[in-house]
Amino acid sequence: MAISCFSLTSFSKIPKPTFPKATILTPPTFSPKPHLKFNPISKPSTLSLFLPIQKNPKTHFRTRFESHICCLFTGIVEEVGEIKQLGIAEDGGFDMRIAAKTVLEGVNLGDSIAVNGTCLTVAEFDTQLSEFTVGLAPETLRKTSLIELGPGSLVNLERAVQPTSRMGGHFVQGHVDGTGEIVSKEPEGDSLWIKVKTGKELLKYIVPKGFIAVDGTSLTVVDVFDDEDCFNFMLVAYTQEKVVIPLKNVGQKVNLEVDILGKYVERLLRSGFVDSIKSS
């Protein structure tokens, strides 16, 4: 058998291939985490509603979200927060800063949090100071009772539900339909009766034993008084300790969101949907 012999030196004569020079990519740099904000909370004054909120440009991080993200709530209040400051933002908007703990667990910029039943977007937060900031549009101030709040006011807070959340209350969108006025508060045992007056445009959607969200709290209507434009509900002792409604006085306003199902039914009836089914 013939054995082929060859020398490795023969390969040295083969020209080495040339390759294009690789481009060295510089890794991107990232800004500090959004929760790293160190401006202290100053003692609120009576002029805080009209003064712009001071920001440190070196440590301040915020963002604005143009599109509204639709979320869902249950009306089961997670905690009561405290308003720390309200004022005009640098971009001309109106900001509200709230002290809270529970709703900040796992929070991200752009998340939705219901404040007294009003769905608002987290524009900035600070987990070290346990506070977050939301922006208020002019229409929000006109439509809700948030305009009555001030530094030190307490508010109901609830995060939007997740697919794994338990539906303990009812479907609450956080889209306040209007406001009502507390006209009476009467204790019975350790429970509390509260009567609220509202406009006829909302009262038509309120039915006895039906759902209603009052300042974001899912409640059951007991009676409807059409001649008084009023409805009432009862708060048990446990609920009184977890929400802000009992802290309000007669004459103060509450945010109201009626059951969305009633509005859908009305829409279908007005559109002639039922009649079209009967005729088909």
Side-chain angles (χ1 to χ4, degrees):
M1 175 183 296
I3 300 177
S4 300
C5 296
F6 61 93
S7 173
L8 293 176
T9 57
S10 61
F11 286 95
S12 62
K13 298 180 180 180
I14 301 175
K16 294 181 180 180
T18 59
F19 299 95
K21 204 171 198 181
T23 302
I24 299 176
L25 298 177
T26 304
T29 58
F30 298 93
S31 58
K33 293 182 179 180
H35 67 272
L36 298 179
K37 181 170 67 70
F38 303 100
N39 53 311
I41 302 177
S42 59
K43 186 176 180 181
S45 68
T46 55
L47 297 177
S48 61
L49 283 173
F50 307 98
L51 297 177
I53 298 176
Q54 299 298 321
K55 304 293 183 182
N56 187 337
K58 295 182 179 180
T59 59
H60 175 69
F61 184 93
R62 71 177 288 117
T63 184
R64 285 290 183 185
F65 296 87
E66 300 299 333
S67 61
H68 179 73
I69 302 174
C70 295
C71 295
L72 186 67
F73 304 91
T74 67
I76 304 299
V77 176
E78 293 187 273
E79 71 171 317
V80 173
E82 180 182 352
I83 304 297
K84 287 298 182 183
Q85 190 173 357
L86 295 91
I88 302 173
E90 296 173 356
D91 58 3
F94 195 87
D95 283 355
M96 178 166 60
R97 193 165 72 213
I98 305 172
K101 292 183 179 180
T102 302
V103 297
L104 292 183
E105 296 175 2
V107 71
N108 294 293
L109 291 175
D111 283 356
S112 294
I113 295 180
V115 180
N116 274 1
T118 307
C119 179
L120 299 173
T121 301
V122 176
E124 64 180 66
F125 64 92
D126 188 330
T127 55
Q128 294 180 356
L129 294 178
S130 297
E131 66 181 28
F132 68 98
T133 300
V134 294
L136 299 175
E139 178 65 12
T140 303
L141 294 172
R142 287 191 293 264
K143 197 78 173 179
T144 70
S145 64
L146 298 180
I147 190 64
E148 295 185 347
L149 300 177
S153 297
L154 301 180
V155 289
N156 294 329
L157 299 175
E158 182 193 357
R159 291 169 291 184
V161 298
Q162 297 178 340
T164 56
S165 302
R166 298 179 62 183
M167 182 59 69
H170 72 283
F171 294 128
V172 179
Q173 295 179 296
H175 303 162
V176 176
D177 293 303
T179 60
E181 179 184 340
I182 298 176
V183 295
S184 69
K185 295 170 61 179
E186 298 179 6
E188 182 179 348
D190 61 355
S191 297
L192 181 66
W193 285 98
I194 296 182
K195 181 183 283 189
V196 176
K197 184 175 183 178
T198 188
K200 294 183 182 298
E201 68 277 3
L202 290 185
L203 197 67
K204 63 181 179 179
Y205 299 113
I206 303 174
V207 297
K209 305 302 181 283
F211 287 121
I212 191 168
V214 180
D215 274 347
T217 306
S218 175
L219 297 170
T220 302
V221 177
V222 178
D223 287 310
V224 178
F225 309 92
D226 291 309
D227 54 336
E228 303 176 37
D229 294 336
C230 294
F231 69 94
N232 68 353
F233 54 89
M234 176 177 278
L235 298 177
V236 298
Y238 178 83
T239 305
Q240 293 177 53
E241 297 174 355
K242 301 297 180 181
V243 301
V244 301
I245 301 172
L247 303 177
K248 291 192 171 184
N249 300 317
V250 172
Q252 285 190 279
K253 292 182 179 180
V254 290
N255 291 330
L256 301 177
E257 181 184 334
V258 299
D259 192 352
I260 186 65
L261 297 179
K263 291 189 283 186
Y264 278 131
V265 171
E266 180 187 52
R267 176 73 173 176
L268 290 173
L269 291 175
R270 285 185 174 181
S271 66
F273 176 76
V274 176
D275 294 333
S276 64
I277 294 179
K278 290 181 180 179
S279 59
S280 61

